[in-house]
Every structure is written in structure tokens, then in C-alpha cells.
Amino acid sequence: MATTASATRATLSSLSSLSLSLSLHSTPRLSFLSTAKLTRFPKLTLSTVLVRASESDKPNGIVFDDFNNPDEDAAVFDPPTPPEDYTPPPSFDELPMETEDEIAAAYEELYGPAYAGVSVLGNDVYVMDSKAKKMSAFGKTKKEKVKDGFEERVVQVRRVTKVVKGGKQLKFRAIVVVGDKKGQVGVGVAKAKEVIAAVQKSAVDARRNIVTVPMTKYLTFPHRSDGDFGAAKVMLRPASPGTGVIAGGAVRIVLEMAGVENALGKQLGSNNALNNARATVVAVQKMKQWREVSRERGIPMEELWK
């Protein structure tokens, strides 16, 4: 038992000496954490910064402008005197209210003509590109006709083919005449893979080529005129009231859509519907009203019948 006790004391003494040596040879980091003292820094206030800045002679020191110094000249805004005939503009509340026409004109100047097709500034609104698109029962988009006062009439629909490298392309060509029966008429032509699409595209083309037909109070031409387009030639003659439109083919359709009720027309030459329709438009554009001729010649209208 004595031997065991002595061995235990020797082991404990060796362990204590080992722990003492470890504590003496510990790393500086551990020793610093165990022996470091907390350092308190003084608080910096605005007055302290101002004093230190004023005492510093270095150019990089902090400098604050002293706005409370009465010795310096303060910057005073001195507006220029208005001229003698100057009248101050009225305030916004004192201006008169805008009319509906002024509001519509300002809106059209910013965003273009209204969807209804009414132009306050006199812009060209006879374009069908602004059609309303609606979904049909099968999910396809269908276009509605624009209610701009023009009526459409199909002159001819033909199937045309185009020979390409892989074979033939089948399309439909449509000729459409639009008019308001008040002196405005236009001829258009277009091609598409479907008949309906071809008619719609040709109607758009016709609205982009509107011309004015001069007429008298009896809804006839002021004088005779001839027109040609390609190999087609058209002769137009005025008629007395009650005669009606005596013409055939595309010439009759163009005159009816223009609103002419008494006229004579004759196709001379080619029987092509498109060329005859365009020849009719050329003949109409050559016509002039009596007042235009008297204004150009500088004589009264009564002298034209002598």
C-alpha cells in the first residue's frame, strides 16, 4: 500500500510540473487575451472637431464655413427690373375652359386621329390598318370593317399562280372599289392566299388611293373627258337628269361608288377590269369645275358659256 501511495504522489507532481511549464511557454495571443486591459477613447463632439480644425495649420484639415459671421457680405438675389410694357401672364385658374374641339385637336396632334375616323386637323384617316381584332369561336382573329362612311364593292376575284423552284404558289387577286357616293372613290388591288384576306387587303389599298370626282348639282360630270391606262381607254360624257349611269363593267361600278347618277361611259380598247377601272379614275382626275376654270383664267363664270 505504501508503494502505491508513493507512485500516485509522483504522478501528480509530474503532472503539476507539466501544466506549469505549459503555462509559462504559452503563445503570446493567449497570454494577451488573458492579460489585456480595455482602452477607453474620448468622445468626439462637433465642438471638439471645430476646435481641432481651427488649430490645425495643415491644408488637409477639416474646415467649416461660418454662415453666422456678420462681417462677410451675404449674397442677396437682386432680380432685374421688368420693362415698362410688361404685363404678368394670367394664372392657370384664370384661363378660359377649353372647348371639345380644342381638346380633340390637341389629342390628335399628340396621338394621331381618333379611332372613330374623325380628323380635326384634316389628316388622312382613310386607312384600314386600325381595324379592331376580335377572337372567333375557333381562336382565329377576325377583323371588322371600319365605319368610315365608305362602301366596298368587289369588281373581280381571280385565281393566279406563281411558278417557283419547288412548284406553283396558288393565290387569289381581288379588285375592290370603295366610295362614299358623295364624290370620293378609290380603286385597289391585292393578292392573298385566301379570298377574304385578298378583299380586305385590296380595300386597304383602295382607301389609300382616294380621288375626288367633280360633279354638278344634277350629279353628272361638268364636261366630257377621256382617260387611258395601259391598253384600256375610257370615254366619259355628262348626261341630262333622269338618264342614269349608262356604262358597263368596271366603269359602271366606279361611277356608282362615286355617286354619279347621270353619265355616259364607254370602254374603248382592252377589256381588262383593272385597267378600265384605273382608266376611269384617270379620266375623272382630268375634269375641273367651272369655278376652277374661271379662277384660273381670271374671267367670270358667265363668260365661259359665250
Side-chain angles (χ1 to χ4, degrees), residues 139-156:
K140 296 183 180 180
T141 57
K142 62 178 183 179
K143 297 182 180 180
E144 289 186 351
K145 297 181 180 179
V146 177
K147 299 179 180 179
D148 53 0
F150 284 87
E151 298 182 9
E152 303 175 5
R153 186 175 298 182
V154 179
V155 178
Q156 186 184 77

Side-chain angles (χ1 to χ4, degrees), residues 279-300:
T280 307
V281 174
V282 172
V284 164
Q285 289 178 330
K286 293 181 180 179
M287 297 181 182
K288 293 183 180 180
Q289 294 283 10
W290 292 95
R291 55 179 176 271
E292 297 178 4
V293 177
S294 63
R295 190 185 306 111
E296 292 176 358
R297 297 175 61 181
I299 59 176

Side-chain angles (χ1 to χ4, degrees), residues 51-70:
V51 171
R52 292 183 180 179
S54 62
E55 293 177 357
S56 176
D57 296 332
K58 297 180 180 180
N60 296 331
I62 303 175
V63 179
F64 293 90
D65 294 335
D66 189 3
F67 295 100
N68 297 325
N69 189 2

